[in-house]
């Protein structure tokens, strides 16, 4: 069993913001591979399906970003997974990457991302796969205001394509391994 977590904030107010790019990738995967409809499990939404020979659970926490770790720990404790890091993939935005840049990591610090830090704190390890999607930054805007703002029209065109590429990267991770995916996607 592989758990794929898209990070974001719940509610319509945040649906199209930069901080919700993780949700967008999970939604793209669920649609592309005909997973089950998302079901509400109180503090998270879950969708299940198979890709080739792999059972996959897609999760969107229904908590705010800085509490994502509580949900991930709950799901990990309920789900039979093989082993970390290969069985947990977390998708999130990254202000330190240019808009649309995809970067895959096996482990490491949160890089200041509060959702990732919450997961590290809750699990007691940084040993899980991350798929980071660059959202860039605005030097004239506060970081928290920037991540909670929608993409501009120019950014939307870039990010739409990159959401699809990030979804493909996750399938490469699942089917061929994280090293193969890093070789393909970290070069772009």
């Amino acid at each position: 069993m592989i758990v794929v977590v898209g990070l974001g904030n719940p509610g319509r107010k945040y649906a199209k913001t930069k901080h919700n790019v993780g949700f967008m990738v999970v939604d793209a995967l669920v649609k592309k591979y005909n997973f089950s409809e998302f079901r509400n499990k109180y503090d998270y939404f879950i969708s299940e399906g198979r890709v080739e020979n792999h059972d996959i659970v897609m999760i969107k926490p229904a908590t705010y970003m800085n509490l994502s770790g509580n949900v991930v720990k709950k799901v990990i404790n309920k789900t039979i997974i093989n082993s970390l890091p290969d069985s947990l993939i977390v998708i999130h935005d990254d202000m330190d990457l240019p808009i649309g840049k995809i970067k895959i990591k096996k482990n490491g610090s949160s890089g200041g991302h509060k959702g990732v830090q919450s997961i590290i704190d809750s699990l007691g390890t940084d040993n899980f796969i991350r798929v980071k999607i660059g959202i860039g930054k605005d030097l004239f805007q506060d970081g928290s205001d920037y991540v909670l703002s929608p993409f501009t029209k120019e950014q939307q065109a870039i990010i739409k394509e990159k959401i699809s590429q990030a979804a493909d990267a996750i399938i490469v991770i699942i089917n061929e391994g994280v090293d193969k995916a890093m070789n393909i996607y970290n070069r772009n």
Side-chain angles (χ1 to χ4, degrees):
M1 178 78 63
I2 297 169
V3 176
V4 178
V5 180
L7 294 184
N9 284 311
R12 282 188 181 171
K13 177 180 177 181
Y14 301 107
K16 296 187 180 194
T17 64
K18 296 172 183 79
H19 223 16
N20 275 32
V21 77
F23 280 6
M24 295 171 195
V25 174
V26 167
D27 288 341
L29 280 162
V30 165
K31 183 176 180 182
K32 184 172 184 175
Y33 290 95
N34 296 315
F35 277 42
S36 66
E37 292 286 323
F38 277 103
R39 296 181 324 276
N40 188 340
K41 294 287 192 177
Y42 177 65
D43 55 355
Y44 62 95
F45 295 90
I46 184 171
S47 173
E48 300 164 295
R50 281 180 72 77
V51 175
E52 295 194 19
N53 295 324
H54 304 282
D55 291 320
I56 304 169
V57 175
M58 300 283 184
I59 300 294
K60 294 193 299 187
T63 60
Y64 287 100
M65 187 70 76
N66 60 345
L67 299 174
S68 300
N70 299 336
V71 168
V72 173
K73 185 172 184 174
K74 180 189 289 187
V75 171
I76 293 291
N77 288 340
K78 287 183 176 183
T79 308
I80 300 169
I81 65 169
N82 299 328
S83 64
L84 293 175
D86 299 326
S87 296
L88 176 60
I89 302 168
V90 176
I91 311 153
H92 65 91
D93 60 295
D94 191 318
M95 284 180 35
D96 293 327
L97 294 174
I99 189 88
K101 169 79 174 142
I102 296 171
K103 184 173 181 185
I104 301 166
K105 282 183 63 176
K106 291 183 190 180
N107 53 30
S109 77
S110 67
H113 193 285
K114 292 182 178 171
V116 175
Q117 188 61 53
S118 174
I119 295 169
I120 291 169
D121 293 343
S122 293
L123 296 180
T125 183
D126 66 359
N127 197 23
F128 54 90
I129 298 168
R130 299 96 190 271
V131 177
K132 305 193 299 185
I133 300 154
I135 59 168
K137 61 176 121 182
D138 182 340
L139 299 176
F140 302 104
Q141 188 175 17
D142 176 69
S144 52
D145 290 337
Y146 179 75
V147 299
L148 296 177
S149 68
F151 290 104
T152 65
K153 285 192 178 195
E154 296 80 23
Q155 291 171 334
Q156 285 175 12
I158 296 167
I159 218 68
K160 184 177 180 183
E161 177 188 338
K162 295 303 180 172
I163 286 169
S164 179
Q165 285 181 8
D168 292 343
I170 290 161
I171 298 305
V172 172
I173 292 168
I174 292 168
N175 288 331
E176 300 180 55
V178 67
D179 291 328
K180 173 84 172 196
M182 288 168 67
N183 285 336
I184 295 169
Y185 293 95
N186 287 1
R187 285 192 266 161
N188 297 334

